[in-house]
Amino acid sequence: MKRCFSFLCIGLFLILSGCGAPTVGDVGAVRQLFAMDTLMQITLYGAYQEEAAEAATAEINRLERLLSRTRSDSQISALNAHAGDGVSIPLDPATFELLSLAQDCTKETDHAFDMTIAPLMDAWGFGGQQYQVPSREELQSLLLLVDGEKLLLDPETSTGRLADPGMSIDLGAIAKGYTARRLLALLASYEIDSAKLELGGNITALGTRYDGQPWRIAVRDPKAADSYLCVLPLVDATASTSGGYERYFEQDGVTYHHIIDPATGFPADSGVLSVTVISADAVQNDAFSTALFIMGADQAVAFWQEHEGFEFILAKADGTVLVTEGLEEDLEFRGAENGYTCEIVRR
Ligand code: AMP
Ligand code: MG
């Protein structure tokens, strides 16, 4: 009788918990991890949320092993180590796909985004070395190594190689966006239709929250980590933020941040504090946020006017926050209390 009661209890528990199916108020399956040099959190809702969360975590770790340039066994390290020596490196389909998407973004942004920026990152100490201000001569010679179109990709053999010695790849501006894309495909195979993927500065909302309300995101004040510039709903879209405040050092009263302008070799000095790009394409989104930061406000507006399919929020050093018209209706501007003014940009 006692045994029968136990079985009944287990059965009842399984029915109530729907064998893992979430109910309104359920917190979902949540995982936090440190990967790709940043804190990540994924929140998933669906009948198979736990299995999906495990698979998603494994995929993030797998991508990091392929794409990191600080892990000596990654495919990016192999490409970098063989730069200019003619050896083609066999690439996993994910690495190959990301590199060709990155090359497209390089062309599209007229090289504001360029994944072969690594030699300059190292010269400034952003590759894990000691921070330092390189000489102009050093920067000029390193700039000759920056050209993402000199990554030679062969789709027939799924291999790649860097054309010139000394070239090297850093996917820091696009890898998290690509990870979001891979995770969305993976989550679909687990029938997850409600998720929030917070991958450092890239936040992807899949569907709505489980209670049917849109996911909501806050864009932080680039000058004050505990204040917001704005709050907005996000459904089936990614918001990618690039900001000089994310990584920087100071020397002789000057601040040097980690987003390098491939036209000068210096940290972009475009009068921009942060840019958040919003679109359904997580990969392009991540690359564009970095590129618009480098372009500066006027060029960013012109770029947006020429390209359909994305919106942006751009905070200028003078306190103006440009918001493209597609966000006007839903965005709650919160920057006024810190002295920012909001300006809507139209096509
Ligand atoms: P994000 O936060 O997406 O703007 O990415 C910034 C990171 O991208 C930096 O920490 C570098 O790893 C890398 N990066 C810096 N400048 C560039 C550039 N001009 N093009 C591509 N990647 C860059
Ligand atoms: Mg980026």
Side-chain angles (χ1 to χ4, degrees):
M1 186 62 201
K2 216 169 162 190
R3 204 141 156 235
C4 220
F5 179 72
S6 306
F7 280 132
L8 254 172
C9 286
I10 293 168
L12 194 63
F13 172 76
L14 286 175
I15 291 164
L16 286 176
S17 65
C19 300
T23 52
V24 173
D26 193 333
V27 290
V30 182
R31 296 288 186 282
Q32 275 187 344
L33 65 155
F34 191 83
M36 302 185 180
D37 217 16
T38 193
L39 193 63
M40 299 187 170
Q41 175 164 308
I42 56 172
T43 307
L44 316 176
Y45 292 92
Y48 308 106
Q49 61 189 33
E50 289 301 326
E51 295 89 331
E54 287 308 304
T57 311
E59 178 65 353
I60 292 171
N61 290 326
R62 183 183 83 91
L63 290 171
E64 171 157 41
R65 283 195 297 276
L66 292 173
L67 306 174
S68 164
R69 80 176 178 105
T70 52
R71 292 181 65 117
S72 57
D73 57 348
S74 77
Q75 296 192 329
I76 296 307
S77 291
L79 282 166
N80 293 345
H82 287 281
D85 71 3
V87 174
S88 291
I89 307 300
L91 300 171
D92 180 275
T95 314
F96 191 92
E97 183 181 41
L98 171 54
L99 290 172
S100 45
L101 290 167
Q103 217 161 35
D104 295 343
C105 291
T106 298
K107 290 179 199 152
E108 195 136 20
T109 62
D110 203 12
H111 289 245
F113 166 87
D114 194 316
M115 67 187 144
T116 57
I117 200 74
L120 285 151
M121 295 303 291
D122 292 344
W124 286 95
F126 288 115
Q129 307 80 354
Q130 187 88 6
Y131 289 133
Q132 57 176 342
V133 180
S135 68
R136 279 178 190 275
E137 295 71 42
E138 186 184 355
L139 292 177
Q140 286 311 313
S141 68
L142 291 176
L143 279 175
L144 302 174
L145 301 172
V146 180
D147 183 355
E149 293 186 58
K150 286 193 179 171
L151 166 67
L152 308 170
L153 292 169
D154 181 354
E156 296 284 302
T157 54
S158 189
T159 58
R161 66 186 173 88
L162 285 163
D164 297 340
M167 287 185 76
S168 106
I169 293 172
D170 174 343
L171 294 170
I174 194 168
K176 293 183 280 295
Y178 183 71
T179 302
R181 171 189 286 211
R182 300 282 306 192
L183 293 186
L184 288 175
L186 183 137
L187 296 182
S189 70
Y190 285 88
E191 297 171 26
I192 301 286
D193 54 12
S194 169
K196 187 180 193 188
L197 311 173
E198 295 164 86
L199 312 180
N202 289 260
I203 302 177
T204 298
L206 168 62
T208 58
R209 285 186 340 201
Y210 202 72
D211 62 7
Q213 294 297 312
W215 294 102
R216 289 178 76 71
I217 60 144
V219 176
R220 68 156 268 192
D221 177 342
K223 287 193 192 162
D226 52 357
S227 307
Y228 300 139
L229 275 188
C230 56
V231 176
L232 69 158
L234 197 69
V235 177
D236 286 326
T238 293
S240 308
T241 300
S242 291
Y245 58 82
E246 282 168 4
R247 270 173 86 195
Y248 61 88
F249 68 95
E250 282 175 18
Q251 192 172 303
D252 302 327
V254 183
T255 302
Y256 300 95
H257 62 70
H258 69 133
I259 302 178
I260 307 294
D261 184 346
T264 65
F266 279 85
D269 184 17
S270 56
V272 173
L273 299 177
S274 73
V275 184
T276 300
V277 175
I278 294 150
S279 82
D281 180 341
V283 187
Q284 185 179 276
N285 215 63
D286 194 359
F288 280 9
S289 70
T290 310
L292 298 197
F293 184 96
I294 292 165
M295 288 177 194
D298 294 349
Q299 241 185 290
V301 169
F303 186 81
W304 171 77
Q305 283 166 337
E306 285 160 18
H307 294 78
E308 296 285 324
F310 78 94
E311 305 293 337
F312 72 74
I313 299 156
L314 182 151
K316 294 187 357 179
D318 70 5
T320 317
V321 179
L322 303 183
V323 173
T324 52
E325 61 185 358
L327 301 172
E328 185 176 8
E329 211 168 293
D330 293 330
L331 177 133
E332 263 174 52
F333 185 65
R334 299 267 184 93
E337 53 206 64
N338 284 353
Y340 292 96
T341 51
C342 181
E343 206 177 280
I344 304 297
V345 182
R346 307 198 183 276
R347 284 203 191 270

